Amino acid sequence: MIKNTGIPSLEQIKSKFPDEVPVKPKAIIECYQEIPCNPCATSCPFDAITIGKDINQIPRIDFDKCTGCGSCVYSCPGLAIIIANVKNEEAVFRIPYEQLPLPEVGSIWHGVNRNGEVICKALIKSVLKNKNTDRTCIITVIVPKQFLYEFITIRCPE
Ligand code: SF4
Ligand code: SF4
């Protein structure tokens, strides 16, 4: 139960993904509880995220409108949004990251699940940090595609 553990079930995770495995990058919004928050919706240049008049409502995404641009990822104060898609045998993620040290492009880090367990190797493809992303880095990570619904973040291997 997410209320007791803070960890969503596989069913809850899948409910945040498109029905079909995403071949194009799509925002996965793992916001499960009603809180007064809406930067994800106001930051989306394509009006793909809706919260509505009641700011406490859980955000809903229209995957047809989502271009995978990533604006919502660094706008979310809860680091609750990632971008994901599958290409050939790889799952490609863009994740928010606010820890140091930052990974080096080309390095292999640990891929970690929502329980904090290491589950796979994670190839660091890019590290984006600029004035738009403020103090949140956007890391592009590649993991084997079978971890599409398990991978959530990276951990330094040292
Ligand atoms: S990735 Fe871009 S288009 Fe998709 S929901 Fe986020 S801000 Fe909107
Ligand atoms: S900005 Fe993040 S924490 Fe706030 S409602 Fe959107 S997804 Fe949830």
Side-chain angles (χ1 to χ4, degrees), residues 3 19 29 61 66 79 81-82 86 89 107 110 144 147 149 155:
K3 272 189 180 169
D19 291 339
I29 305 177
I61 182 164
C66 176
L79 306 183
I81 307 177
I82 59 173
V86 167
E89 296 305 306
S107 61
H110 292 318
F147 298 106
Y149 301 115
R155 184 181 299 157

Side-chain angles (χ1 to χ4, degrees), residues 23-40:
V23 292
K24 291 185 177 174
K26 298 293 175 185
I28 310 303
I29 305 177
E30 289 208 63
C31 199
Y32 293 99
Q33 292 175 307
E34 294 185 348
I35 51 170
C37 187
N38 70 356
C40 52

Side-chain angles (χ1 to χ4, degrees), residues 17-70:
F17 277 73
D19 291 339
E20 305 285 330
V21 169
V23 292
K24 291 185 177 174
K26 298 293 175 185
I28 310 303
I29 305 177
E30 289 208 63
C31 199
Y32 293 99
Q33 292 175 307
E34 294 185 348
I35 51 170
C37 187
N38 70 356
C40 52
T42 57
S43 69
C44 179
F46 302 98
D47 291 329
I49 303 175
T50 306
I51 288 184
K53 284 184 184 163
D54 179 356
I55 196 174
N56 292 290
Q57 289 194 94
I58 291 171
R60 299 182 308 280
I61 182 164
D62 182 339
F63 287 117
D64 291 334
K65 290 184 178 176
C66 176
T67 65
C69 73

Side-chain angles (χ1 to χ4, degrees), residues 53-134:
K53 284 184 184 163
D54 179 356
I55 196 174
N56 292 290
Q57 289 194 94
I58 291 171
R60 299 182 308 280
I61 182 164
D62 182 339
F63 287 117
D64 291 334
K65 290 184 178 176
C66 176
T67 65
C69 73
S71 294
C72 56
V73 176
Y74 51 80
S75 301
C76 170
L79 306 183
I81 307 177
I82 59 173
I83 307 289
N85 70 292
V86 167
K87 191 175 177 189
N88 301 322
E89 296 305 306
E90 298 171 336
V92 184
F93 291 90
R94 270 178 284 153
I95 62 168
Y97 196 75
E98 294 186 343
Q99 298 182 55
L100 293 174
L102 291 174
E104 299 224 345
V105 174
S107 61
I108 305 286
W109 276 37
H110 292 318
V112 171
N113 68 12
R114 290 164 183 79
N115 291 306
E117 300 159 344
V118 174
I119 51 169
C120 62
K121 290 180 178 176
L123 171 63
I124 309 300
K125 276 300 269 189
S126 71
V127 178
L128 175 68
K129 191 168 185 286
N130 59 35
K131 66 176 170 46
N132 290 332
T133 67
D134 195 7

Side-chain angles (χ1 to χ4, degrees), residues 89-91 143-151:
E89 296 305 306
E90 298 171 336
V143 304
K145 73 175 183 183
Q146 64 262 36
F147 298 106
L148 178 66
Y149 301 115
E150 288 181 64
F151 171 86

